[in-house]
């Protein structure tokens, strides 16, 4: 690509004569020189005049006639130019061409008239050619030249057209518009090159730095065309830049002096070069063809073939001799005479060390073991935000982080890591570029694409790496390389239902009215049981003859206790004896069994339903309900999928409708009452539009997370959904993946990168690189911190914690009851009057006068026993006189069988087998 300026050149003619020569009439030699130059070279006459002064001082008696013609490139002929013809009428010895390219018209006119032709370079082309040799040594293939003047730009463009091996773009003076154009170059250049004097170099670099062009200093190369490099202002700012400086030896070579020599401050290589050429040509003309002077009065060639051949041969010999001179540089098979400007290659990165030189124009020689760092290719890579593929890094506040060096956003993600690995194995540098319009790429009704696909079509980027699906529509305008990711598709994401935590959730298994009914049944059963036991003649209470042993007395308290304990698997204890009571108990037990079974079954079902994660399990179920809303990202691949499926259903319906309504008899077999294809996607797209598609995937996940009742779903790319699920415990996927498609890198159609990228992707697959990259971004380690909600999970404490609380409450009530019993018992005992009695063994002893209540209680107890037995005893007065009490001497009624008195134990069970206990005291209360 070249930036070419079309310029119309005028013509001028100015014959002059050298006024500083010494003329000798007998030996005078006249040399007519025609100098053809560009209109943009107004200083050429002055340069030639100065050079002729130096030459005339060396060759006395030589008269110079110099004619200057401004070349007109619009003319297809040069030999019939009137100014050239005027010069021919006075005589021409040689034609000096200092135009920017070897014009075949100028050289052809010289050959037609037999005039020796010499093409001399006095422009910036020599320096540009030296820079090109240096860049080729650095393995460059493209470059942006930045030159100080429009004349230099034009000269460089003509050089690039005729003789260049690089893909080059040329710019003149830098301004805001030029800086913007350089930034927008596609593809990104491998190198930048500035060719200018020191002061001009400072100004150009200052503008480039301010415009943000110098982001990779190692790609910038500077060539100084003067010896004032000590005034270079950016040596310490960008040490990575390579500098090509005029070597001091170049001054000595061009001035044809032995090194070391003293170079004047105003040393200009081109002025010295022009003087050297005129010196060589004039000397050759005097020595070889002293009488050769071509004249023509009417621009008609009058050639002496032998003379022309001799002059042509002599000219060739002269050029061969000049090619061997150290101060000339004449390339092979090319007659352009350039100055031999040797350059020193300076690398500031190595403390201003000379690492090499450029000699004889094309020979780059490195010093010692120095080597050039291999040049890396540079690509503009397109991407767009899509988590986790590629996204701008943000801080905690959501602000985009930027690179402190170039101010560009910092990107991260799967594709960014993948691109970095590709840049290593393929050895290239890159810039990440986001599309100005759109994201991945949509085609408008006019067929134009935006987004990444559009940037590839227009050449804004070299290739695109993102979550870009390979579709047939995109394949029409771009090419895809081998897929780098497994098949991905569309998936549904929903929020897990939020469980209502309650310690008494088990109580919600039955409704409040059921619990009240159960309580009423317990109370009613207890009251009925008490009444039946009280009034039934066959109860244990009313039929003691049938039940002489102790039986359970169903008081109201005992009846309530029986009803409560019967509600547990432990049972209620001893049942009533009457048939009516047992009938009531049997009915109550049947009620208890049914209620316990019902509660157990409903509790299990209730807890199982509670653990269900989503109310729908597929896209079909989602489309058949109306409670759960769902949406997609607007104009995304998923949105396009549902649009296309809806359009397909519409077309199929029209085809079926036309088929069944056709009047042909053969179509009768298709006539049915119902449409045979389900209109699923029509309903889905309608529901999506009613729920309003979201702008980004982040908005979709946010809306799902806000619906705590799991009544909203987000349909999106399966890889992104699974990534979000691995990071958020609230999300879950629904159903299976559908509409699967691969991801691929997109390149321009016919791009040379397609095969190279495919090759290295396959190499990375063999090294299992993508597996490790997938594990990095779809790592499920975050899920380990989520609460377990699988079906295998046991019943949580939150669901049945109320059972434990009820038990603790019961224990607490039991302890409170115990405390009340102890307090009540102590208070009751403190209010009772006790009588002390003496033991039976001490009854014959005289009483001891003590006021202790314990002895009074003993005496009272003995007297009570005697009274109960109605025994004869010695009156108290006789006991006082030492009389002994005789037991059993007098008895009005027999001793009850339940009482055994005496020194020898006799079991009452031997006489009465029904007794299972031994009574040592009367059963009735003594007091």
């Amino acid at each position: 690509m070249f930036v070419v300026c079309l310029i119309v050149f005028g013509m001028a003619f100015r014959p002059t004569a050298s006024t500083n020569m010494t003329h000798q009439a007998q030996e005078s030699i006249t040399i007519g020189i025609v100098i053809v130059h560009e209109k943009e070279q107004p200083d050429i006459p002055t340069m030639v005049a100065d050079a002729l002064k130096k030459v005339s001082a060396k060759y006395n008696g030589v008269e110079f006639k110099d004619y200057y013609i401004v070349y007109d490139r619009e003319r297809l002929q040069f030999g019939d130019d009137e100014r050239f013809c005027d010069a021919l009428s006075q005589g021409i010895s040689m034609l000096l061409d200092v135009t920017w390219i070897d014009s075949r018209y100028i050289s052809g006119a010289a050959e037609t008239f037999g005039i020796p032709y010499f093409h001399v370079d006095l422009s910036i082309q020599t320096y540009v050619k030296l820079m090109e040799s240096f860049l080729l040594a650095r393995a460059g293939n493209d470059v942006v030249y930045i030159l100080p003047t429009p004349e230099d730009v034009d000269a460089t463009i003509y050089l690039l057209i005729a003789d260049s091996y690089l893909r080059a773009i040329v710019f003149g003076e830098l301004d805001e518009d030029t800086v913007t154009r350089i930034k927008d170059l596609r593809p990104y250049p491998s190198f930048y090159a500035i060719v200018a004097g020191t002061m001009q170099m400072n100004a150009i670099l200052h503008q480039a730095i301010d415009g943000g062009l110098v982001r990779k200093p190692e790609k910038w190369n500077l060539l100084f065309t003067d010896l004032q490099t000590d005034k270079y202002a950016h040596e310490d700012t960008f040490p990575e830049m390579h500098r090509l400086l005029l070597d001091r030896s170049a001054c000595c070579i061009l001035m044809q002096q032995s090194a070391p020599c003293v170079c004047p401050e105003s040393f200009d290589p081109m002025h010295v070069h022009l003087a050297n050429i005129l010196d060589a040509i004039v000397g050759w003309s005097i020595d070889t063809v002293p009488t050769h002077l071509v004249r023509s009065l009417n621009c008609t060639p009058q050639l002496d073939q032998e003379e022309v051949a001799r002059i042509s041969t002599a000219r060739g010999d002269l050029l061969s001799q000049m090619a061997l001179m150290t101060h000339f540089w004449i390339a092979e098979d090319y007659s352009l005479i350039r100055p031999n400007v040797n350059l020193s290659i300076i690398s500031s990165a190595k403390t201003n060390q000379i690492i090499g030189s450029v000699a004889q124009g094309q020979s780059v020689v490195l010093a010692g073991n120095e080597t050039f760092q291999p040049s890396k290719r540079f690509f503009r890579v397109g991407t767009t935000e899509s988590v986790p593929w590629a996204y701008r890094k943000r801080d905690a506040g959501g602000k985009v982080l930027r690179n402190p060096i170039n101010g560009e956003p910092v990107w991260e993600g799967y594709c960014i890591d993948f691109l970095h690995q590709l840049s290593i194995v393929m050895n290239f540098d890159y810039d990440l570029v986001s599309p100005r319009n759109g994201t991945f790429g949509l085609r408008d009704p006019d067929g134009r694409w935006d987004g990444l696909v559009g940037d590839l079509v227009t050449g804004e980027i070299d290739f695109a790496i993102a979550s870009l699906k390979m579709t047939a529509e995109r394949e029409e305008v771009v090419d895809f390389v081998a897929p780098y990711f497994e098949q991905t598709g569309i998936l549904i994401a929903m929020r897990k239902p939020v469980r209502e935590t309650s310690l008494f959730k088990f109580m919600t298994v039955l409704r409040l009215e059921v619990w009240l009914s159960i309580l009423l049944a317990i109370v009613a059963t207890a009251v009925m049981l008490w009444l039946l036991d009280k009034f039934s003649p066959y109860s244990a209470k009313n039929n003691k003859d049938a039940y002489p042993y102790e039986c359970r007395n169903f008081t109201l308290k005992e009846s309530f206790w029986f009803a409560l304990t019967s509600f547990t698997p432990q049972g209620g204890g001893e049942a009533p004896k009457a048939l009516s009571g047992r009938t009531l108990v049997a009915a109550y037990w049947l009620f208890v069994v049914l209620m316990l079974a019902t509660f157990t079954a409903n509790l299990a079902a209730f807890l199982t339903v509670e653990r269900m994660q989503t109310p729908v399990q597929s896209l079909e179920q989602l489309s058949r309900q109306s409670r759960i809303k769902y949406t997609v990202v607007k104009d995304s691949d998923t949105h396009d999928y549902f649009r296309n499926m809806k359009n397909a259903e519409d077309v199929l319906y029209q085809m079926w409708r036309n088929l069944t309504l056709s009047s042909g008899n053969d179509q009768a077999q298709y006539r049915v009452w119902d449409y045979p294809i389900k209109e699923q996607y029509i309903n889905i797209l309608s529901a999506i539009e009613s729920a309003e598609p979201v702008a980004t995937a982040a908005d979709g996940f946010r809306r799902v997370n806000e619906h705590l009742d799991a009544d909203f779903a987000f349909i999106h790319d399966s890889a992104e959904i699974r990534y979000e699920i691995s990071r958020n415990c609230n999300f879950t996927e629904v159903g299976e993946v559908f509409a699967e498609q691969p991801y691929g890198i997109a390149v321009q159609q016919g791009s040379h990168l397609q095969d190279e990228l495919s090759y290295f992707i396959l190499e990375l697959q063999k090294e299992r690189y993508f597996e490790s990259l997938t594990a990095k971004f779809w790592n499920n380690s975050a899920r380990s911190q989520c609460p377990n909600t699988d079906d295998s999970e046991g019943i949580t404490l939150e669901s049945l914690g109320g059972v434990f609380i009820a038990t603790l409450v019961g224990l607490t009530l039991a302890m409170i009851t115990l405390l009340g019993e102890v307090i009540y018992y102590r208070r009751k005992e403190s209010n009772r009057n006790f009588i002390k009695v003496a033991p039976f063994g001490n009854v014959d002893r005289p009483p001891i006068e003590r006021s202790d209540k314990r002895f009074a209680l003993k005496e009272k107890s003995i007297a009570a026993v005697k009274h109960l037995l109605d025994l004869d005893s010695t009156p108290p007065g006789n006991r006082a006189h030492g009389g002994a009490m005789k037991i059993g001497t007098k008895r009005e009624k027999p001793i009850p069988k339940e009482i055994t008195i005496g020194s020898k134990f006799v079991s009452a069970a031997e006489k009465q087998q029904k007794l299972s206990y031994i009574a040592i005291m009367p059963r009735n209360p003594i007091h």
Side-chain angles (χ1 to χ4, degrees):
M1 176 179 179
F2 301 99
V3 180
V4 180
C5 298
L6 181 61
I7 303 176
V8 179
F9 298 99
M11 299 186 66
F13 175 73
R14 186 174 67 91
T16 62
S18 177
T19 59
N20 296 326
M21 294 190 295
T22 303
H23 299 280
Q24 297 179 0
Q26 296 81 5
E27 300 179 0
S28 176
I29 298 175
T30 302
I31 298 177
I33 304 175
V34 174
I35 299 97
V36 185
H37 64 91
E38 304 283 355
K39 183 180 68 174
E40 290 81 9
Q41 295 176 303
D43 57 338
I44 290 297
T46 303
M47 291 178 62
V48 174
D50 293 341
L52 288 177
K53 288 180 182 180
K54 296 179 181 179
V55 174
S56 62
K58 181 178 181 181
Y59 299 98
N60 294 327
V62 179
E63 180 182 359
F64 294 98
K65 291 184 178 180
D66 44 339
Y67 306 94
Y68 299 93
I69 300 176
V70 178
Y71 183 59
D72 184 1
R73 296 190 179 278
E74 288 190 348
R75 292 180 60 90
L76 299 180
Q77 297 294 332
F78 181 78
D80 60 350
D81 189 275
E82 58 182 9
R83 294 160 189 74
F84 178 65
C85 293
D86 291 342
L88 279 174
S89 65
Q90 300 183 39
I92 300 176
S93 299
M94 63 189 69
L95 194 154
L96 202 64
D97 182 6
V98 294
T99 59
W100 291 330
I101 61 174
D102 186 6
S103 173
R104 54 178 178 161
Y105 302 114
I106 301 175
S107 61
E111 184 179 356
T112 300
F113 291 94
I115 303 173
Y117 171 81
F118 299 95
H119 193 193
V120 181
D121 181 20
L122 299 177
S123 68
I124 201 173
Q125 288 184 351
T126 297
Y127 300 109
V128 174
K129 197 65 181 176
L130 292 172
M131 176 62 76
E132 180 179 298
S133 300
F134 173 71
L135 295 179
L136 289 174
R138 293 192 64 188
N141 55 11
D142 63 317
V143 61
V144 168
Y145 286 110
I146 303 176
L147 304 172
T149 64
E151 293 79 10
D152 293 337
V153 171
D154 293 338
T156 303
I157 291 173
Y158 283 115
L159 172 67
L160 298 176
I161 294 175
D163 182 25
S164 179
Y165 300 96
L166 293 176
R167 183 181 64 178
I169 305 173
V170 183
F171 289 95
E173 295 177 304
L174 288 183
D175 53 23
E176 185 177 350
D177 180 65
T178 306
V179 170
T180 303
R181 292 172 59 192
I182 295 177
K183 284 183 176 180
D184 293 339
L185 287 177
R186 307 291 186 274
Y188 206 80
S190 300
F191 291 111
Y192 294 89
I194 304 177
V195 181
T198 302
M199 304 310 296
Q200 294 172 322
M201 185 75 70
N202 290 335
I204 292 174
L205 274 180
H206 180 73
Q207 293 172 334
I209 294 169
D210 291 344
L213 290 180
V214 188
R215 292 186 295 173
K216 297 184 180 297
E218 67 277 3
K219 294 184 175 294
W220 287 73
N221 306 274
L222 315 178
L223 192 153
F224 295 84
T225 59
D226 56 24
L227 296 176
Q228 301 177 2
T229 53
D230 55 336
K231 299 179 181 179
Y232 175 57
H234 301 283
E235 179 178 345
D236 298 330
T237 308
F238 298 105
E240 301 89 347
M241 293 182 179
H242 284 83
R243 290 178 289 155
L244 279 68
L245 311 182
L246 280 176
D247 196 280
R248 293 287 175 178
S249 63
C251 175
C252 301
I253 291 173
L254 291 178
M255 295 177 64
Q256 301 183 43
Q257 298 179 4
S258 300
C261 63
V262 178
C263 293
E265 293 183 0
S266 60
F267 174 75
D268 188 342
M270 293 305 168
H271 284 76
V272 178
H273 174 57
L274 179 59
N276 291 336
I277 290 177
L278 288 176
D279 183 21
I281 293 176
V282 170
W284 167 79
S285 179
I286 293 175
D287 296 338
T288 306
V289 287
T291 60
H292 182 76
L293 192 65
V294 179
R295 284 189 176 91
S296 177
L297 298 177
N298 55 1
C299 249
T300 301
Q302 299 175 358
L303 301 178
D304 183 350
Q305 297 298 332
E306 293 183 359
E307 182 70 13
V308 170
R310 186 180 69 86
I311 296 300
S312 177
T313 302
R315 173 184 173 275
D317 293 340
L318 174 62
L319 292 176
S320 299
Q321 293 175 9
M322 293 175 67
L324 298 177
M325 298 178 183
T326 58
H327 52 281
F328 292 126
W329 167 31
I330 301 177
E332 295 182 5
D333 302 328
Y334 201 63
S335 61
L336 181 63
I337 306 173
R338 292 191 175 106
N340 182 17
V341 181
N342 290 349
L343 302 175
S344 297
I345 305 173
I346 302 291
S347 175
S348 296
K350 296 189 176 183
T351 63
N352 292 328
Q353 178 182 350
I354 298 177
I355 64 172
S357 62
V358 182
Q360 290 294 328
Q362 294 179 338
S363 177
V364 178
V365 180
L366 296 178
N369 297 324
E370 299 291 344
T371 58
F372 286 128
Q373 291 294 330
S375 173
K376 290 185 178 182
R377 294 172 294 172
F378 194 89
F379 300 122
R380 290 176 64 89
V381 183
T383 190
T384 186
E385 280 199 299
S386 177
V387 179
W389 306 102
Y391 51 92
R392 295 177 178 88
K393 191 174 182 180
R394 291 173 169 81
D395 57 15
K399 183 180 179 181
V400 176
L401 299 179
R402 295 187 176 275
N403 191 319
I405 299 177
N406 53 29
E408 295 294 328
V410 178
W411 289 78
E412 59 183 0
Y414 182 98
C415 291
I416 305 304
D417 289 359
F418 175 35
L419 176 60
H420 178 70
Q421 185 66 22
L422 277 179
S423 69
I424 294 176
V425 297
M426 294 176 61
N427 191 29
F428 66 82
D429 287 332
Y430 61 89
D431 265 352
L432 286 172
V433 181
S434 296
R436 293 186 178 93
N437 299 314
T439 53
F440 298 99
L442 293 176
R443 183 167 53 186
D444 61 15
D446 296 332
R448 292 189 296 267
W449 288 82
D450 65 0
L452 295 178
V453 178
D455 286 351
L456 281 173
V457 172
T458 58
E460 291 287 324
I461 56 178
D462 298 294
F463 61 91
I465 179 168
S467 55
L468 189 65
K469 292 183 179 179
M470 303 170 64
T471 63
E473 292 80 7
R474 293 167 179 167
E475 187 73 29
E476 295 176 358
V477 293
V478 299
D479 291 337
F480 287 96
V481 303
Y484 63 86
F485 193 75
E486 61 186 7
Q487 291 282 97
T488 184
I490 302 174
L491 196 59
I492 304 171
M494 293 185 65
R495 200 191 198 285
K496 294 179 181 178
V498 178
R499 299 182 181 181
E500 296 180 2
T501 58
S502 175
L503 295 175
F504 296 93
K505 180 165 286 191
F506 68 95
M507 296 290 293
T508 60
V509 176
L510 302 178
R511 304 290 290 266
L512 178 60
E513 55 269 22
V514 178
W515 286 113
L516 293 177
S517 300
I518 293 175
L519 182 59
L520 181 61
I522 293 174
V523 174
T525 301
V527 173
M528 289 297 297
L529 188 60
W530 170 62
L531 293 176
L532 291 176
D533 189 75
K534 182 176 181 180
F535 295 105
S536 176
Y538 296 100
S539 64
K541 180 180 179 181
N542 298 327
N543 191 11
K544 295 186 179 295
D545 295 336
Y547 307 99
Y549 52 85
E550 183 177 5
C551 297
R552 186 173 185 176
N553 187 14
F554 282 91
T555 62
L556 188 59
K557 182 180 69 174
E558 282 295 318
S559 298
F560 271 105
W561 181 251
F562 178 85
L564 287 175
T565 54
S566 295
F567 225 91
T568 64
Q570 298 299 326
E574 185 179 355
K577 304 301 182 180
L579 181 60
S580 58
R582 292 185 175 184
T583 303
L584 175 63
V585 170
Y588 179 68
W589 282 348
L590 179 61
F591 165 76
V592 169
V593 170
L594 295 177
M595 289 307 300
L596 289 177
T598 302
F599 178 80
T600 303
N602 279 274
L603 179 62
F606 179 80
L607 295 177
T608 302
V609 172
E610 184 189 31
R611 290 197 301 270
M612 291 178 61
Q613 296 182 356
T614 55
V616 294
Q617 297 298 326
S618 66
L619 178 67
E620 184 177 357
Q621 293 182 10
L622 190 66
S623 65
R624 287 198 306 238
Q625 55 82 47
S626 59
R627 185 183 70 87
I628 301 175
K629 305 297 181 182
Y630 45 91
T631 189
V632 298
V633 175
K634 185 177 179 61
D635 296 331
S636 62
D637 293 338
T638 305
H639 202 179
D640 288 340
Y641 170 79
F642 288 114
R643 287 171 178 166
N644 295 338
M645 294 299 290
K646 183 259 183 185
N647 294 335
E649 287 185 347
D650 289 339
V651 172
L652 290 175
Y653 175 76
Q654 292 298 330
M655 294 176 62
W656 172 80
R657 184 171 177 270
N658 296 334
L659 184 65
T660 55
L661 296 180
S662 176
S663 59
N665 294 330
D666 295 338
Q667 311 302 331
Q669 57 183 327
Y670 302 113
R671 294 172 184 166
V672 293
W673 288 105
D674 296 326
Y675 179 49
I677 300 177
K678 292 183 295 184
E679 298 178 342
Q680 176 179 345
Y681 292 95
I682 295 177
N683 298 331
I684 291 177
L685 186 61
S686 176
I688 289 173
E689 298 298 337
S690 64
E692 297 182 0
V694 295
T696 62
D699 294 337
F701 288 115
R702 177 182 54 79
R703 291 183 64 179
V704 170
N705 197 40
E706 290 174 352
H707 288 72
L708 304 181
D709 295 333
D711 56 353
F712 192 85
F714 181 49
I715 308 175
H716 193 54
D717 179 78
S718 61
E720 296 185 32
I721 283 181
R722 284 172 175 167
Y723 173 81
E724 197 68 27
I725 290 175
S726 68
R727 296 296 189 272
N728 195 324
C729 300
N730 296 331
F731 295 148
T732 183
E733 63 181 72
V734 175
E736 300 293 334
V737 179
F738 58 94
E740 292 184 332
Q741 287 177 311
Y743 285 142
I745 297 177
V747 298
Q748 298 175 2
Q749 282 190 338
S751 174
H752 66 283
L753 294 173
Q754 183 176 10
D755 294 337
E756 188 177 3
L757 286 171
S758 297
Y759 171 79
F760 282 103
I761 288 175
L762 295 177
E763 288 293 321
L764 291 176
Q765 287 179 345
K766 288 196 301 184
E767 297 173 3
R768 307 178 73 89
Y769 170 75
F770 295 106
E771 293 183 12
S772 61
L773 198 58
T774 301
K776 175 182 177 181
F777 287 93
W778 281 269
N779 190 355
N780 292 324
S781 60
R783 303 292 295 179
S784 61
Q785 302 175 2
C786 299
N788 187 10
T789 56
D790 296 335
D791 292 340
S792 59
E793 177 196 6
I795 298 174
T796 62
L797 182 62
E798 293 179 350
S799 299
L800 295 179
V803 177
F804 298 93
I805 293 178
T807 304
L808 293 176
V809 170
L811 294 176
T812 304
L813 290 176
M815 297 302 295
I816 294 174
T817 304
L818 174 62
L819 179 61
E821 288 177 346
V822 171
I823 294 174
Y824 174 77
Y825 177 77
R826 288 184 176 180
R827 181 175 297 176
K828 181 179 179 181
E829 289 298 320
S830 63
N831 295 331
R832 293 179 60 180
N833 295 321
F834 294 94
I835 300 175
K836 295 181 180 181
V837 296
F840 290 106
N842 299 329
V843 292
D844 296 332
R845 297 179 183 177
I848 302 175
E849 297 296 334
R850 293 183 62 180
S851 61
D852 195 346
K853 292 183 178 181
R854 186 176 55 182
F855 289 96
L857 179 59
K858 285 182 179 181
E859 294 179 357
K860 184 176 182 181
S861 299
I862 294 172
V865 171
K866 288 184 176 183
H867 176 71
L868 176 64
L869 299 178
D870 195 15
L871 299 176
D872 293 336
S873 61
T874 306
N878 296 332
R879 284 202 307 268
H881 294 85
M885 181 181 65
K886 296 181 180 180
I887 300 176
T889 57
K890 183 180 180 182
R891 180 173 56 185
E892 294 182 357
K893 56 182 181 180
I895 299 173
K897 298 178 180 180
E898 293 84 357
I899 298 175
T900 301
I901 297 177
S903 59
K904 182 180 180 182
F905 174 76
V906 179
S907 176
E910 295 178 359
K911 301 179 180 180
Q912 297 183 4
Q913 298 297 328
K914 293 182 180 181
L915 294 178
S916 59
Y917 55 89
I918 301 173
I920 61 174
M921 291 293 289
R923 290 180 59 190
N924 293 330
I926 300 175
H927 308 292

